[in-house]
């Protein structure tokens, strides 16, 4: 099994040296949406990942989505 979505989000934050609030602003997602995904409360939908892809086009999309 790959790295969980919450772990990948945490890795993204560390890699870009940003916090959840900054990611929210950069990716145009609500802080609550990011918080719930980071805590594993919900499985992010494709729209969530697309927002992150648009904000960080250099990011490996497959890694973020599948681990």
């Amino acid at each position: 099994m790959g790295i969980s979505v919450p772990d990948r989000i945490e890795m993204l934050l560390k890699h870009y040296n940003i916090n959840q609030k900054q990611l929210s602003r950069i990716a145009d997602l609500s802080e609550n949406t990011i918080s719930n995904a980071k805590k594993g409360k919900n499985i992010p939908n494709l729209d969530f990942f697309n927002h992150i892809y648009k904000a960080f086009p250099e990011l490996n999309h497959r890694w973020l989505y599948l681990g």
Side-chain angles (χ1 to χ4, degrees):
M1 186 172 170
I3 302 166
S4 70
V5 171
D7 288 341
R8 292 193 304 268
I9 293 169
E10 189 61 42
M11 292 171 76
L12 180 141
L13 295 173
K14 287 180 181 178
H15 177 77
Y16 288 101
N17 195 30
I18 58 175
N19 61 37
Q20 205 168 287
K21 186 173 190 163
Q22 290 168 316
L23 177 59
S24 168
R25 191 171 52 249
I26 293 166
D28 193 28
L29 292 164
S30 76
E31 286 184 62
N32 192 47
T33 297
I34 294 170
S35 177
N36 286 339
K38 197 173 150 196
K39 291 177 184 175
K41 287 187 175 183
N42 63 6
I43 298 171
N45 60 22
L46 192 54
D47 189 52
F48 173 90
F49 292 109
N50 282 336
H51 276 266
I52 293 179
Y53 298 152
K54 287 178 187 174
F56 303 98
E58 70 283 357
L59 192 64
N60 182 312
H61 298 181
R62 182 175 163 76
W63 173 81
L64 184 62
Y65 189 69
L66 299 173

